[in-house]
Amino acid sequence: MTRDSTNIQKLHHFVGGRKIDGNSGRFGDVFNPALGIVTKHAPLASKEEVEQAISVAQEAFPAWAATSAGRRAQVMFNFRDLIRSNMDRIAELVSSEHGKTLDDAKGSTTRGLEVVEFACGISQMLKGEYSANVAGGVDSWSTRQALGVCAGITPFNFPAMVPMWMFPMAIACGNTFVLKPSERDPSCPLFLAELLKEAGLPDGVFNVINGDKEAVDTLLTDDRVQAVSFVGSTTIGEYIYRTGTASNKRVQALCGAKNHMVVMPDADMDQVTDAVMGAAYGSAGERCMAISVVVSVGDEPADALIEKLVPRLDSLKVGPYTEGATEMGPVINPDAKAKIENYIGQGVEQGATLVRDGRGIVVEGSENGCFVGATVFDNVTTEMSIYTDEIFGPVLSIVRAESYEEALQMINDHEYGNGTAIFTRDGDTARDFSDRVQIGMVGVNVPIPVPMAFHSFGGWKRSLFGDHAIHGPEGVRFYTKLKTVTARWPSGIKEGAVFNFKAGGEH
Ligand code: NAD
């Protein structure tokens, strides 16, 4: 449903430390998903507008790269304080455009904040390595230097956290940054740009440009952009990786997922049920680490889970974020709702047992909202589309495996490799699973094993294209390049002209 256009707020870009109106004449709809109406228009930048943002970031780079790491960290400390003091405003911006509950918005923003806190220690991480006297009078050291202009392209599902996986690390390392957030919920990233300015970040170091494919393609092909971080779906991520690397850029593209939770017969089923409630239905299943498949080893765990889960789903409070009691909000927009409901239809057609159907749910007072109720299928098989595809909604599939080996093989055969979990009391099984499963992030009795900011986040297989996971130590490596200096001073040993390589240590 579209509002009278006079009531629609026009959003902007943020370039060179100030808000800039879009001039392409193109706009994307931003919904309030709980109401199902368009409330804002995000400008969709033209190639020229993106090039202008890159120019601004390029001009800001030399001075920022030459700023001491300690001073750059000080900006991060200030930014951290500002996020904390503005947490309610950030959560309101996230929830009003994404639909998730305010507590969930605050929780995910806090996970982004942890990356900012990690970036506050950048001086320690850029220290480098030094070897004295590698040959007579010769010293050698390695250092990591900033790349230049870096770009970030982010998805709708975490408008605060996912950008914060990227730009705090990039900026702390001495780079400048152009962020192209999701056009579906851009207000929070725009507000973060204002906070960075208030934190003392020089103008032009961080820029936000709203847009779609035209903006992304410009970032991917402009020679001045050195590195691209992407988080989003696999189809787009693979395109980003291939196009960006063909233009000689570093690219990390974190992509889609289908995360399995293996439930062994010895698992604590109360713990499993709690875990499934949060991991499958939190944020309406719109998380790349959501659990969307439970693999029951034997029939017993599946039967017990359904018995415990169904009453919980029947009393789950689905509604708008403005209702304090809401546990699960809407999905992002009417297209997403239609796509998810279509998948539920396919599951029925393909022969899965529909235990709870979330289609057609009506929320009183939010009748046009993009709500999908919590859905569970049992007896799902690996050729069904509800098993193979990422649905990105509150739809859980239960697959019954005859053995642990069959469950493990199923996960290893799936195209995605983002996250997984095993629930068991048996240490041997958990250890074997952690070792042999072909997945980047593994939980043992932990349903959503998102690594802390001082580790790095990243999947395997078609969940990540590129050589680096994101944030943590991998973030420092991604956003810097290695330089090694070998130095001899005139007082060192003089050996005349040397025409041949010599064995290690001799120069
Ligand atoms: P998306 O791929 O549609 O969009 C991501 C970004 O790509 C957006 O900024 C969008 O504007 C841009 N984009 C869209 N179409 C494009 C095109 N044709 N050419 C160039 N750029 C384009 O993803 P989404 O729907 O916003 O987010 C959901 C997806 O993100 C899910 O697949 C989810 O699993 C994934 N995700 C992955 C992670 C992870 O860490 N692996 C984290 C969060 C979300």
Side-chain angles (χ1 to χ4, degrees):
M1 191 190 285
T2 309
R3 259 186 180 183
D4 173 357
S5 63
T6 49
N7 292 328
I8 295 179
Q9 185 190 340
K10 275 200 168 63
L11 297 174
H12 49 271
H13 308 297
F14 190 96
V15 177
R18 61 197 181 92
K19 296 176 183 176
I20 308 267
D21 287 338
N23 63 20
S24 70
R26 296 192 306 123
F27 291 92
D29 286 341
V30 178
F31 279 81
N32 177 328
L35 300 176
I37 57 170
V38 177
T39 53
K40 299 172 193 169
H41 275 161
L44 302 177
S46 64
K47 185 172 192 289
E48 292 70 31
E49 288 174 292
V50 180
E51 285 173 346
Q52 178 57 26
I54 297 170
S55 298
V56 166
Q58 176 89 338
E59 276 164 34
F61 174 65
W64 181 244
T67 302
S68 72
R71 170 75 197 116
R72 297 198 302 257
Q74 191 55 55
V75 173
M76 286 298 138
F77 277 110
N78 297 344
F79 182 52
R80 165 185 180 261
D81 293 346
L82 285 166
I83 292 175
R84 284 183 161 181
S85 56
N86 284 281
M87 189 59 93
D88 287 343
R89 169 110 191 258
I90 291 170
E92 172 69 29
L93 288 173
V94 170
S95 297
S96 61
E97 294 180 4
H98 177 280
K100 63 179 80 178
T101 64
L102 289 169
D103 281 348
D104 196 21
K106 287 180 190 170
S108 55
T109 303
T110 302
R111 297 310 303 264
L113 184 61
E114 288 163 6
V115 180
V116 178
E117 289 169 349
F118 182 71
C120 290
I122 195 66
S123 307
Q124 165 71 12
M125 291 177 284
L126 293 180
K127 269 195 322 201
E129 295 170 331
Y130 186 90
S131 301
N133 208 29
V134 293
V138 177
D139 304 322
S140 182
W141 66 93
S142 299
T143 177
R144 301 203 71 96
Q145 295 189 335
L147 305 175
V149 179
C150 298
I153 301 157
T154 52
F156 78 82
N157 63 326
F158 288 110
M161 180 183 80
V162 170
M164 283 199 277
W165 283 355
M166 303 174 181
F167 69 76
M169 298 306 305
I171 288 173
C173 288
N175 301 286
T176 56
F177 205 86
V178 179
L179 174 69
K180 205 302 288 170
S182 172
E183 64 277 34
R184 290 184 258 176
D185 48 13
S187 292
C188 176
L190 287 166
F191 182 54
L192 294 179
E194 288 180 45
L195 294 184
L196 276 170
K197 184 178 168 83
E198 196 180 333
L201 191 72
D203 291 348
V205 174
F206 182 68
N207 308 280
V208 180
I209 196 92
N210 289 303
D212 56 4
K213 184 170 166 50
E214 183 171 342
V216 170
D217 284 346
T218 309
L219 291 170
L220 290 177
T221 50
D222 191 303
D223 286 342
R224 296 168 297 174
V225 175
Q226 304 298 317
V228 176
S229 299
F230 169 87
V231 176
S233 61
T234 292
T235 316
I236 308 297
E238 188 167 16
Y239 166 77
I240 300 274
Y241 180 74
R242 295 199 190 291
T243 313
T245 51
S247 292
N248 292 322
K249 300 180 197 319
R250 285 185 185 193
V251 182
Q252 54 180 184
L254 285 83
C255 297
K258 194 82 183 176
N259 306 310
H260 297 57
M261 178 200 278
V262 175
V263 184
M264 298 298 293
D266 66 350
D268 177 328
M269 290 311 297
D270 289 325
Q271 188 188 30
V272 167
T273 311
D274 283 343
V276 167
M277 283 302 295
Y281 304 108
S283 208
E286 291 176 323
R287 291 178 179 149
C288 68
M289 290 291 277
I291 290 293
S292 46
V293 180
V294 163
V295 188
S296 170
V297 175
D299 289 330
E300 211 182 301
D303 294 340
L305 175 63
I306 290 168
E307 194 186 322
K308 287 176 184 287
L309 195 63
V310 165
R312 301 273 294 268
L313 297 184
D314 290 345
S315 61
L316 185 72
K317 293 193 176 53
V318 180
Y321 75 95
T322 43
E323 294 289 331
T326 293
E327 294 170 303
M328 188 173 88
V331 297
I332 184 76
N333 61 22
D335 287 350
K337 177 179 156 101
K339 180 183 148 197
I340 295 162
E341 291 189 341
N342 184 276
Y343 268 114
I344 299 172
Q346 289 177 36
V348 174
E349 276 165 30
Q350 292 168 17
T353 312
L354 185 55
V355 179
R356 278 295 176 274
D357 184 356
R359 292 173 294 184
I361 183 174
V362 176
V363 173
E364 207 180 317
S366 298
E367 285 77 6
N368 293 316
C370 309
F371 295 97
V372 181
T375 302
V376 194
F377 281 105
D378 191 9
N379 299 310
V380 175
T381 57
T382 54
E383 62 285 348
M384 293 177 182
S385 58
I386 53 170
Y387 175 80
T388 54
D389 297 1
E390 182 185 43
I391 300 173
F392 223 55
V395 180
L396 178 71
S397 293
I398 299 175
V399 183
R400 294 171 182 241
E402 282 183 10
S403 65
Y404 162 74
E405 285 297 332
E406 187 190 335
L408 180 66
Q409 194 60 46
M410 195 183 295
I411 299 172
N412 289 348
D413 287 344
H414 204 286
E415 67 168 314
Y416 295 121
N418 215 39
T420 190
I422 187 165
F423 276 68
T424 180
R425 289 185 168 97
D426 184 279
D428 267 355
T429 310
R431 187 169 186 275
D432 184 81
F433 183 78
S434 309
D435 186 38
R436 290 167 61 208
V437 75
Q438 299 297 303
I439 301 285
M441 294 171 282
V442 181
V444 175
N445 299 320
V446 172
I448 305 190
V450 174
M452 295 298 291
F454 37 89
H455 289 269
S456 300
F457 181 109
W460 288 10
K461 298 189 275 185
R462 288 174 64 76
S463 293
L464 191 152
F465 298 90
D467 302 319
H468 292 281
I470 210 162
H471 71 59
E474 286 277 273
V476 178
R477 286 179 207 119
F478 183 74
Y479 288 123
T480 57
K481 54 192 170 190
L482 181 71
K483 179 179 277 179
T484 306
V485 181
T486 305
R488 167 184 282 140
W489 296 100
S491 60
I493 297 164
K494 297 189 176 64
E495 53 178 20
V498 175
F499 294 99
N500 303 318
F501 275 124
K502 292 186 178 180
E506 295 176 53
H507 286 254

